[in-house]
Amino acid sequence: VQVEESGGGSAQPGGSLRDSCAPSGDSYCNYDMTWYRQAPGREREFVSSIDRYEIKKYADAVKGRFTISRDKSKKTFYLQMNRLNEEDTAMYYCKADCRDGTGRIRANAWGRGTSVTVSS
């Protein structure tokens, strides 16, 4: 399993950015996708996740501002980040978990990470 991650960038407070992650690998995989972020000098933290049942979860810090989604036709996941603030500045990493038909995780992979900088 591999994950191609792209997006991120710079924005002013109140602005928007989008991160994309496209997993590839075994054709039997049903993917869960989780985004984490790590700000300078801080531990990596959970941001959002979506599972194969489309159940979505968000950290309290981003709830109502970030939206996670899946485009099945493009086999790509998105993290839409709106109403950004300076505390959102971090490296963002996605992690894909490949589940087989029984629901067991068979493999996982991390994206390379993208930088999100929010400043005025």
Side-chain angles (χ1 to χ4, degrees), residues 69-81:
S69 63
R70 176 203 315 256
D71 185 329
K72 290 184 178 180
S73 65
K74 296 181 180 179
K75 298 181 182 180
T76 301
F77 295 78
Y78 301 98
L79 182 69
Q80 178 66 42
M81 299 175 277

Side-chain angles (χ1 to χ4, degrees), residues 4 23 29-30 39 46 48 50 70 76-77 88 95 100 111 116:
E4 183 175 343
C29 290
N30 291 307
F46 168 82
S48 182
I50 183 169
R70 176 203 315 256
T76 301
F77 295 78
D88 296 318
K95 175 175 169 281
D100 63 18
V116 169

Side-chain angles (χ1 to χ4, degrees), residues 57-120:
K57 297 181 180 180
Y58 299 94
D60 288 343
V62 306
K63 202 172 292 183
R65 301 187 298 118
F66 289 14
T67 302
I68 194 169
S69 63
R70 176 203 315 256
D71 185 329
K72 290 184 178 180
S73 65
K74 296 181 180 179
K75 298 181 182 180
T76 301
F77 295 78
Y78 301 98
L79 182 69
Q80 178 66 42
M81 299 175 277
N82 296 332
R83 290 190 282 140
L84 288 161
N85 59 58
E86 294 182 353
E87 293 179 346
D88 296 318
T89 295
M91 284 293 296
Y92 284 70
Y93 300 90
C94 61
K95 175 175 169 281
D97 290 313
C98 163
R99 293 185 184 271
D100 63 18
T102 69
R104 288 190 291 183
I105 294 176
R106 291 299 190 181
N108 57 56
W110 288 84
R112 62 177 178 83
T114 61
S115 176
V116 169
T117 302
V118 184
S119 68
S120 54

